[in-house]
Amino acid sequence: MSERIGMREMMRRDAASAMLGMVVEVDEPGRAVVSMPVREDMLNGFRITHGGLVFALADTAFAIACNEDERVTVAAGADITFLKSTTAGQTLTATAVRRVVSGRTGLYDVTIIDETGAVVAEFRGRSMITNRGMG
């Protein structure tokens, strides 16, 4: 992950996202945009981007969007629909948007596109606000 002024501690400590080359483009309450270049080592046996890595990109954007304050918010569940395959040399961008927060639960949608703007996948995440604080 690229270092940027004001990057939250949560993302500075996220070794998995950093290892995958993710870059946080937007970090706002209820909204996040994260990009990831697809490398050769991210391809499955069919030479297309491994679905688990597309999910990981969406999950990172979801995590940023739903952690809006000092309380730790985690995933309670998520679903993804794959719509288009990609391969090495492409760049994926995930945009997460809050749909609703009610009590301690939330619902977030994430759209993943490729560098042409074509939709690669749609992800829906369900969040749960914990009793833990960040730190």
Side-chain angles (χ1 to χ4, degrees), residues 40-59:
E40 287 286 332
D41 64 347
M42 297 175 163
L43 304 182
N44 65 20
F46 298 111
R47 306 281 307 145
I48 59 177
T49 310
H50 193 291
L53 300 178
V54 176
F55 187 98
L57 174 64
D59 188 52

Side-chain angles (χ1 to χ4, degrees), residues 6 22-23 25-26 28 42 65 67 76 81 85 89 97 104 107 133:
M22 293 184 195
V23 176
E25 308 286 346
V26 175
E28 301 171 350
M42 297 175 163
N67 277 281
T81 301
S85 62
V97 178
R104 293 179 48 201
L107 187 65

Side-chain angles (χ1 to χ4, degrees), residues 17 20-25 33-37 57 91-94:
S17 296
L20 292 171
M22 293 184 195
V23 176
V24 178
E25 308 286 346
V33 179
V34 181
S35 63
M36 178 181 77
L57 174 64
T91 299
L92 302 180
T93 301

Side-chain angles (χ1 to χ4, degrees), residues 15 30 36 43 66 72 74-76 83 88 91 93 96 103 109-111 117-119 130:
M36 178 181 77
L43 304 182
C66 71
V72 173
V74 297
L83 301 166
T91 299
T93 301
D109 286 334
V110 184
T111 299
V119 177
T130 71

Side-chain angles (χ1 to χ4, degrees), residues 74-133:
V74 297
D79 300 294
I80 193 165
T81 301
F82 300 104
L83 301 166
K84 179 181 182 290
S85 62
T86 57
T87 193
Q90 292 189 266
T91 299
L92 302 180
T93 301
T95 300
V97 178
R98 176 191 342 101
R99 293 296 173 216
V100 66
V101 173
S102 178
R104 293 179 48 201
T105 62
L107 187 65
Y108 294 77
D109 286 334
V110 184
T111 299
I112 303 93
I113 62 170
D114 66 14
E115 71 285 350
T116 71
V119 177
V120 172
E122 291 285 348
F123 170 107
R124 175 158 275 190
R126 296 170 303 281
S127 67
M128 174 63 67
I129 300 170
T130 71
N131 293 322
R132 294 177 41 209

